[in-house]
Amino acid sequence: MATITGLSLSGLGFLARASESQKAQAVKFPAHPGQRLGSGRMMAARPVRAAPDRISEKVEESIKKAEETCSDNPASGECVAAWDEVEELSAAASHARDRKKESDPLENYCKDNPETNECRTYDN
Amino acid sequence: MAACTVYTTTKSLNTKCSISSPSKSHWGYFAQKQRLVIFRTRRRSSLCVITCGAVAGDHDQTVVIGLAADSGCGKSTFMRRLTSVFGGAAEPPKGGNPDSNTLISDTTTVICLDDYHSLDRNGRKEKGVTALDPRANNFDLMCEQVRALKDRIAVEKPIYNHVTGLLDPPELIKPPKILVIEGLHPMFDPRVRELLDFSIYLDISNEVKFAWKIQRDMAERGHSLESIKASIEARKPDFEAFIDPQKQYADAVIEVLPTQLIPDDNEGKILRVRLIQKEGVKHFSPAYLFDEGSTISWIPCGRKLTCSYPGSKFFYGPETYYGHEVSVVEMDGQFDKLDELIYVESHLSNLSTKFYGEVTQQMLQHADFPGSNNGTGLFQTIIGLKIRDLYEQIIASRARTPVGAAQA
C-alpha cells in the first residue's frame, strides 16, 4: 500500500516538474539568452524535502503503535522492531530539524543563481 | 596552456576508457607526449587520453574510511568535522533524490550504510527484526559496491529513504578520492573490513546515550522519558550482539563516558572522553602527551592557566584493548576559553597538524557543533587530521612508484 502511494506521489512530482520547465522555457528564453534554460525554475520545482511536521506526526504514531504492540507481548520481535522504528524516525526528525535551522531560502537560491539581481555581490 | 596528463590504465578500467574523437584535432600536440610515454612505460596496457584536471589518478585506489556508531551518537557531527578538515562543505548530490543520505564534497563522498538495507521498514516489521540485525542488510551488495568504488568504478547505489522507510531507486556514485562509509555495520562483514584503510568506532556509554537522546527527542511531541527509555532498552540486545563487537576491529575508538570530576553528575553535560588508538596501524601514528609510551596524568589548570569549575584533566598511557596494544589519550572536563584550547594543543604531540594552532582553528570554525568545548570535538578533530595525514601518506607512497605520467 505504501509503495503504491509512493509511486503516485513521485509521478505527480514528475508531471509538475515537466509543466514548470515548459513554462520556464517560454518565459526565460527571450529575456536571458545566455543563461541555462529553465535552470532557476527547475530548482524551484524540485520535490521539497519532507516537512518536519510530517515526520513529527510519524514519530507520534510510531510511538503509539510501539506501546500497543509491546503491551501485548513485550519480548517479541515485533515489539523490538516497533521501538527500532521509533528510534529511526526520531533520528530522521532531528536531522530534519537541523537542516531546517541551517537552510536560508535566499542563500539556497543564490548558490545556484549567483548572477541574478538579488544575489550579485560587489567587491569594490 | 592547459596541463593535460596522459595516463596509462590497468586492465580493470579498460572498458571505461576510449580515445574520444575531439582529441583527434589535437593529435599532433599529443603525439609528442605519447612517444614520451611509450618509452617510459613497460606495461602493455591501453593508452587513454583523459580530459584535463578530472580524475584523481590512474591505477590508484580510493582511500576508504569506515565509521561505526549507533543511531544518535554523533556520526553526522563527526562527518562534518572530517569533511571540513579536507576543505569544502559536504552536501547532498544536487538534482537527485532529496531524501538521499549521501554527502559529496570536492575530495570526499560519504555513504550511509543504511542504503544497503535488504528489508525496508515494513519488511522488518513483518519479520520482527531491527535495522541492527545483519539479516536486514545486504552485505554482498555492500562488499561488491565498496570494492568497485575502491577500484575507481562508478556504481548505482540504492537509496534507503528514512522518512518513508522504503528503498528508493538507485543513484549514481562516482568514485571519489576519499570514500567514507558510515553506519551501523561497516566492520561487521570481514570482506568489507579488509577494504577499509582506516576504521573508527564511536563508543557512547549507556548513561551518556540516554542523556543525549533525551536532549534530542524531548522536543518532539509524543515522546516522553518512558518512551525514550523503552526504545533504548528494546534495542540494547541487538546492539550488544551485532554492533558493539565491531569496536575490537576499529583502528581508533572514541569512548564517551560520564565525568569523574563531579560526583553523581547525571546531566551528561561534562564528559570524559577517551581516544583509544591502535598501535601498529599502517600510516597511523598515535597522538601522545609529553612522552610517548609513558603514563602521564595532567591537570593544565593552575598558575599559568586559570579555568572555571570543573576545569579539565588529561591522561595518557599505553593499555591493552581486546588483545591489542593501544595508546589512550583521555580528557575529562571541558574548555571554557580559547586560551585553554591552544594551551592544551601546544602540549599534545603527533597531532599531524600543518601549522601551530590548527586543531584550535578547526574547533573554533565549528563552535556551534555539539561537543566543541569538550573531548568529543577535540578528538574528532584530531582523528580528522590523522586521516588527512594517512591519505597524504598513501598518495605519496603511490607517487613513489609512478606508471608513466607525463605532464604538459
Side-chain angles (χ1 to χ4, degrees), chain B residues 124-400:
Chain B
R124 274 178 276 147
K125 225 186 305 192
E126 280 166 30
K127 289 221 166 128
V129 297
T130 60
L132 306 160
D133 198 312
R135 285 176 288 169
N137 295 288
N138 187 347
F139 288 106
D140 293 329
L141 183 64
M142 191 194 294
C143 171
E144 188 189 305
Q145 294 204 336
V146 174
R147 187 171 283 145
L149 283 168
K150 191 165 175 114
D151 289 334
R152 316 237 76 200
I153 300 170
V155 297
E156 288 277 346
K157 178 190 65 70
I159 299 178
Y160 176 75
N161 191 321
H162 280 106
V163 177
T164 60
L166 305 165
L167 285 161
D168 286 347
E171 61 183 347
L172 179 70
I173 304 288
K174 296 199 202 91
K177 288 195 202 140
I178 300 164
L179 175 69
V180 183
I181 55 174
E182 55 103 348
L184 298 163
H185 306 97
M187 291 154 330
F188 185 82
D189 190 293
R191 300 166 295 176
V192 181
R193 219 183 296 148
E194 64 185 32
L195 295 170
L196 300 175
D197 291 296
F198 194 74
S199 51
I200 306 140
Y201 183 87
L202 297 180
D203 184 8
I204 316 294
S205 77
N206 294 322
E207 301 91 338
V208 178
K209 202 185 276 190
F210 186 39
W212 284 3
K213 292 214 168 151
I214 292 175
Q215 272 172 35
R216 185 191 73 178
D217 292 338
M218 280 312 255
E220 283 297 324
R221 294 192 309 259
H223 258 303
S224 62
L225 218 63
E226 291 78 27
S227 67
I228 297 173
K229 198 159 193 186
S231 171
I232 296 180
E233 292 300 322
R235 295 170 84 248
K236 211 186 261 191
D238 273 358
F239 174 75
E240 285 173 359
F242 305 120
I243 314 297
D244 215 38
Q246 291 179 90
K247 62 188 183 194
Q248 60 184 302
Y249 304 116
D251 297 320
V253 178
I254 297 183
E255 198 179 343
V256 183
L257 305 154
T259 184
Q260 287 176 333
L261 298 175
I262 306 175
D264 306 319
D265 175 59
N266 56 1
E267 275 183 38
K269 294 250 165 68
I270 314 284
L271 299 170
R272 175 175 162 228
V273 191
R274 310 178 78 228
L275 175 61
I276 300 167
Q277 305 162 97
K278 205 185 259 186
E279 291 286 348
V281 177
K282 203 168 178 203
H283 303 301
F284 174 62
S285 48
Y288 63 89
L289 187 57
F290 177 57
D291 180 24
E292 204 171 3
S294 59
T295 306
I296 312 268
S297 186
W298 180 47
I299 299 176
C301 308
R303 289 204 197 112
K304 267 199 266 183
L305 188 71
T306 45
C307 324
S308 53
Y309 184 77
S312 53
K313 186 172 181 191
F314 288 80
F315 167 83
Y316 165 73
E319 284 180 18
T320 330
Y321 188 74
Y322 290 98
H324 295 286
E325 292 292 318
V326 297
S327 299
V328 182
V329 182
E330 178 183 316
M331 172 179 170
D332 194 354
Q334 56 185 27
F335 298 114
D336 267 331
K337 309 190 289 265
L338 175 61
D339 300 351
E340 289 174 44
L341 192 43
I342 195 80
Y343 190 78
V344 166
E345 183 183 347
S346 60
H347 287 82
L348 284 167
S349 312
N350 220 353
L351 293 177
S352 305
T353 50
K354 293 210 164 132
F355 54 85
Y356 175 71
E358 192 176 8
V359 174
T360 307
Q361 190 197 67
Q362 282 288 330
M363 298 268 284
L364 285 177
Q365 214 176 331
H366 304 293
D368 55 326
F369 285 5
S372 293
N373 64 345
N374 60 38
T376 51
L378 176 66
F379 294 140
Q380 285 179 359
T381 309
I382 292 175
I383 289 287
L385 295 170
K386 289 257 155 236
I387 291 177
R388 181 183 67 186
D389 183 46
L390 177 131
Y391 170 71
E392 284 168 0
Q393 283 185 43
I394 292 179
I395 297 299
S397 69
R398 285 194 193 135
R400 279 195 285 274

Side-chain angles (χ1 to χ4, degrees), chain A residues 2-3 6 43 46-50 52-60 63 65 67 76-95 97-99 102 111-112, chain B residues 71-72 76 80 91-92 94-96 98-99 121-122 124-132 160-166 213 215-217 219-224 226-228 230-231 234-235 238:
Chain A
T3 348
M43 288 305 156
R46 192 175 48 182
V48 177
R49 280 208 179 88
D53 306 310
R54 234 180 71 191
I55 307 183
S56 291
E57 283 167 23
K58 282 194 161 177
V59 172
E60 264 193 281
I63 296 176
K65 242 189 297 180
E67 282 167 351
S76 69
E78 282 86 38
C79 172
V80 174
W83 281 120
D84 187 44
E85 190 184 325
V86 169
E87 167 61 38
E88 195 192 332
L89 284 165
S90 308
S94 135
H95 285 146
R97 252 180 285 136
D98 290 338
R99 268 200 300 258
E102 287 170 24
K111 230 190 309 177
D112 299 315
Chain B
S71 166
S76 316
R80 283 147 84 196
E91 282 161 5
K94 283 199 167 61
D99 290 321
R121 207 176 283 157
N122 291 325
R124 274 178 276 147
K125 225 186 305 192
E126 280 166 30
K127 289 221 166 128
V129 297
T130 60
L132 306 160
Y160 176 75
N161 191 321
H162 280 106
V163 177
T164 60
L166 305 165
K213 292 214 168 151
Q215 272 172 35
R216 185 191 73 178
D217 292 338
E220 283 297 324
R221 294 192 309 259
H223 258 303
S224 62
E226 291 78 27
S227 67
I228 297 173
S231 171
R235 295 170 84 248
D238 273 358

